[in-house]
Amino acid sequence: AVAQRDLKQLLAASTCAQIGFMVLAAGVASIEGGVGQLVAHAAVKSLLFLCAGVWLTVLGTKDLRELQGAAWRNRVVGVAFGMGALALAGIPPLSLWVTKDVVLAAAVAEGSWVLYAVGLAASVLAAAYSARALVAVWRRGERHGSEGAFRFPMLAPLPVLAFIAVVFGVVAVPGVDESWRGLLGASGEPAPNLTELLISGALAVVTVVAVAGLARHRRGT
């Protein structure tokens, strides 16, 4: 995912990586974490693939080098993709930041700090490849090929999925989490503490900023 130049291939590789968190949830018996990750990731990745499909249809390319500035050509697509990519990166307070940490909290509760460390490292990689895609589509660049029209049927699902990608993490908010666990039959499962949330959130922010800074430096040289 970090090395891909094809946006759809990057998203496909990241899907495999995110499924790893669901498998980890199963391994540490976290029903809340696994279901939460499944739902949040489904919304986020559906959103990102639809945005990639819109650009492929309208702009005729899925090559990140040719998609420079694509987000500026239609702000609905650009902002929706941005929300999805930031959620995939684990930026607070978006959905996958929380659902991922619920899984990692279950690993800690099982006493497996190795699994916690591996999961945290995977989340840093997620922030890296998400930032790479985000920087590519928002960085202004030379237009390639012909451009078609952005039609309403292409755009209609994007705000709905972007909304879910942003707010689904509310299921882990105290006062809401118990109702969510009760719905899943997962009462009593461990929840991430403030320190764990701050660590993963800070790592995601630092990684995104670092990737953006590196991209700017390379462009300048």
Side-chain angles (χ1 to χ4, degrees):
V2 173
Q4 285 293 336
R5 293 178 176 176
D6 182 308
L7 178 56
K8 283 197 169 184
Q9 291 291 344
L10 183 155
L11 295 175
S14 76
T15 299
C16 296
Q18 293 297 314
I19 288 174
F21 281 105
M22 301 172 207
V23 175
L24 175 58
V28 295
S30 176
I31 297 173
E32 179 192 7
V35 174
Q37 185 74 9
L38 174 64
V39 174
H41 178 259
V44 168
K45 198 53 63 67
S46 297
L47 172 62
L48 295 175
F49 267 115
L50 284 174
C51 290
V54 169
W55 284 325
L56 178 59
T57 300
V58 175
L59 307 177
T61 184
K62 52 184 179 170
D63 189 315
L64 285 175
R65 294 166 297 183
E66 297 180 359
L67 284 172
Q68 289 188 20
W72 295 96
R73 302 181 196 183
N74 184 286
R75 299 298 175 82
V76 173
V77 184
V79 171
F81 187 88
M83 291 296 97
L86 290 173
L88 184 61
I91 296 295
L94 308 182
S95 58
L96 285 172
W97 167 58
V98 176
T99 58
K100 163 182 53 57
D101 275 18
V102 173
V103 177
L104 295 181
V108 171
E110 289 288 320
S112 183
W113 288 98
V114 173
L115 288 178
Y116 174 76
V118 171
L120 206 57
S123 71
V124 170
L125 280 176
Y129 56 66
S130 301
R132 184 165 174 266
L134 187 61
V135 169
V137 301
W138 276 100
R139 182 172 60 193
R140 293 186 184 275
E142 181 182 352
R143 296 193 178 191
H144 297 265
S146 59
E147 183 172 326
F150 291 90
R151 303 185 184 279
F152 176 75
M154 299 178 181
L155 309 180
L158 303 185
V160 177
L161 292 170
F163 178 77
I164 298 172
V166 169
V167 306
F168 187 75
V170 73
V171 297
V173 172
V176 179
D177 57 347
E178 285 302 323
S179 299
W180 172 243
R181 289 174 189 164
L183 178 66
L184 299 176
S187 298
E189 288 191 2
N193 59 41
L194 181 59
T195 300
E196 292 166 357
L197 289 169
L198 289 175
I199 289 173
S200 70
L203 284 173
V205 171
V206 168
T207 302
V208 169
V209 171
V211 170
L214 181 60
R216 180 177 298 179
H217 174 73
R218 286 180 175 176
R219 189 181 186 188
T221 56

